[in-house]
Amino acid sequence: MTALDTLRGKYIEAIASAADEAALEEVRLAALGKKGEISLKMRELGQMSPEERQTTGAALNRLRDEIDASLRARKQGLADAALDARLKTEWLDVTLPGRPRRAGTIHPVSQVMAELTAIFADMGFAVAEGPQVESDWFNFDALNIPPEHPARQEHDTFFMARAEGDNRPPHVLRTHTSPVQIRAMQAQGAPIRVIAPGRVYRMDMDQTHTPMFHQVEGLAIDRDISMANLKWVLEEFCRAFFEVPSVELRFRASHFPFTEPSAEVDIRCSWEGGQLRIGEGDSWLEILGSGMVHPKVLAAAGVNPDEWQGFAFGMGIDRIAMLKYGIPDLRAFFESDLRWLRHYGFAALDMPDLAGGLSR
């Protein structure tokens, strides 16, 4: 038996008898470490003749590889044995139900915005968007709002700060999404059918008003559109949104600078038992403003009022969310406690899609 055979037997036996990974590491260092026996013998090759080096070097390489493979196999065996021992001492009932995790909930305003977008999409309305910081012209002048109108005063509107000597036109935080209608008509011309949902800003704060809220405005322009078309669109929307078989709307004459004629729209309802019910009862509830687009507004948007006409309407998204889900205070929309949302029945991430179903 050669010296290498003796060395092999010694370390193979030591590897097999190593009781744990610490003992196995000691064997590895004794054999293959920098000062290990096999490593030292590899260094002696430089002192041998070419013939001896060729024979002994090949044998040492085979021995080193065999010892290394045995170390790896033994290490894996020890790990498997440790896992088996752990599994025998620990017990897990995989039939137990998982721990519940609270799911995130979509905000009522976001849900209502998605609902109304889907409803109007079924009637052929596209969604138009525009900037929230608007020029004085888009927010007021193009909509036939005169300079003396109260909405153009600083106590009603947020005006952007201007440095001394800044001669640019005044800019405001938009007070409605009507400027989006002007931009849409300028970009697309007529005919056109769009809704413009989004944030708007006014200097107001009480139980039913906040300085920042959400509106959706609708616009339909064609050659023969009338108030009858407006009435049908609003009835179809209310029936679908409030999920009732029928609705009755009442149009009351009103005045808006951007429509002529103009009408406030009320919906028949009841307050039986303190609960709002849409589509029944003897009461009326105002829900939106509407009318036929003023010829000056069409002209400002580059649409010839002698050839085209149409209707427009606008409603508060926060308001109709309150009505549909029975939320009494608009300021509650800004509470961060999800328990409040669950109280009003908002399931986790129930989102209507344009096909009329729900997606999660």
Side-chain angles (χ1 to χ4, degrees):
M1 179 179 295
T2 65
L4 292 183
D5 291 334
T6 303
L7 201 60
R8 175 186 176 281
K10 171 185 174 181
Y11 283 111
I12 291 295
E13 183 179 350
I15 291 170
S17 60
D20 51 39
E21 291 193 17
L24 191 64
E25 179 64 10
E26 291 181 5
V27 176
R28 186 191 70 81
L29 292 174
L32 303 178
K34 288 185 178 181
K35 296 181 180 181
E37 285 190 78
I38 296 176
S39 299
L40 292 176
K41 287 191 174 294
M42 296 289 286
R43 295 178 188 174
E44 295 174 1
L45 292 175
Q47 302 173 3
M48 299 180 182
S49 64
E51 292 79 10
E52 291 177 321
R53 190 183 307 126
Q54 184 176 5
T55 304
T56 306
L60 282 172
N61 282 332
R62 289 194 297 271
L63 176 60
R64 182 188 58 189
D65 293 344
E66 183 179 0
I67 296 300
D68 183 65
S70 297
L71 286 167
R72 292 176 184 275
R74 180 57 178 165
K75 184 176 182 179
Q76 184 60 50
L78 290 172
D80 292 343
L83 178 60
D84 289 341
R86 181 181 173 186
L87 291 176
K88 290 178 181 178
T89 57
E90 294 181 0
W91 181 78
L92 176 66
D93 185 356
V94 295
T95 65
L96 288 174
R99 294 184 179 90
R101 299 178 64 182
R102 290 192 179 276
T105 306
I106 189 170
H107 194 277
V109 170
S110 299
Q111 178 160 320
V112 168
M113 196 174 297
E115 289 175 4
L116 64 87
T117 298
I119 293 169
F120 281 114
D122 285 341
M123 291 187 280
F125 285 81
V127 175
E129 297 180 328
Q132 296 181 40
V133 177
E134 270 292 7
S135 73
D136 190 73
W137 187 86
F138 275 105
N139 200 76
F140 297 121
D141 294 328
L143 293 164
N144 196 37
I145 300 176
E148 67 274 10
H149 195 281
R152 301 188 75 154
Q153 307 307 310
E154 291 187 355
H155 58 74
D156 273 355
T157 298
F158 292 99
F159 283 83
M160 306 303 293
R162 302 174 70 189
E164 187 176 350
D166 187 348
N167 296 320
R168 292 177 299 173
H171 280 69
V172 301
L173 292 179
R174 66 184 183 188
T175 59
H176 42 195
T177 58
S178 301
V180 180
Q181 299 179 15
I182 301 296
R183 292 180 178 274
M185 285 190 284
Q186 286 183 336
Q188 302 177 36
I192 188 172
R193 196 181 303 181
V194 295
I195 59 169
R199 293 188 184 93
V200 296
Y201 306 85
R202 296 179 190 174
M203 297 184 69
D204 209 351
M205 180 65 174
D206 57 35
Q207 184 175 357
T208 57
H209 298 85
T210 61
M212 186 279 289
F213 56 103
H214 302 80
Q215 267 192 347
V216 59
E217 300 197 13
L219 173 73
I221 303 295
D222 213 319
R223 297 189 185 277
D224 300 313
I225 284 183
S226 68
M227 289 286 287
N229 302 120
L230 169 64
K231 183 174 184 290
W232 178 85
V233 167
L234 295 179
E235 286 178 345
E236 289 299 305
F237 167 75
C238 291
R239 186 181 298 114
F241 179 75
F242 290 109
E243 301 178 35
V244 293
S246 63
V247 295
E248 184 178 350
L249 300 181
R250 180 177 68 181
F251 286 69
R252 290 181 290 106
S254 185
H255 170 72
F256 303 114
F258 29 80
T259 53
E260 181 60 37
S262 304
E264 301 276 6
V265 180
D266 305 331
I267 191 168
R268 182 179 290 278
C269 65
S270 74
W271 293 95
E272 184 178 350
Q275 184 177 3
L276 174 66
R277 296 183 182 276
I278 299 294
E280 59 183 62
D282 299 321
S283 299
W284 295 91
L285 181 68
E286 179 186 329
I287 57 171
L288 58 91
S290 65
M292 298 297 291
V293 180
H294 199 290
K296 291 184 178 180
V297 174
L298 293 175
V303 175
N304 187 348
D306 295 328
E307 297 182 16
W308 305 93
Q309 63 187 42
F311 63 76
F313 59 85
M315 69 188 87
I317 295 175
D318 314 75
R319 176 168 171 75
I320 62 174
M322 293 169 64
L323 297 177
K324 180 172 182 176
Y325 295 106
I327 301 168
D329 192 331
L330 179 62
R331 291 169 295 188
F333 280 134
F334 300 96
E335 295 290 335
S336 59
D337 193 339
L338 290 181
R339 291 174 297 180
W340 176 84
L341 291 174
R342 295 190 185 97
H343 174 74
Y344 290 104
F346 283 86
L349 300 179
D350 282 345
M351 285 283 291
D353 56 31
L354 295 184
L358 288 176
S359 59
R360 284 184 180 266

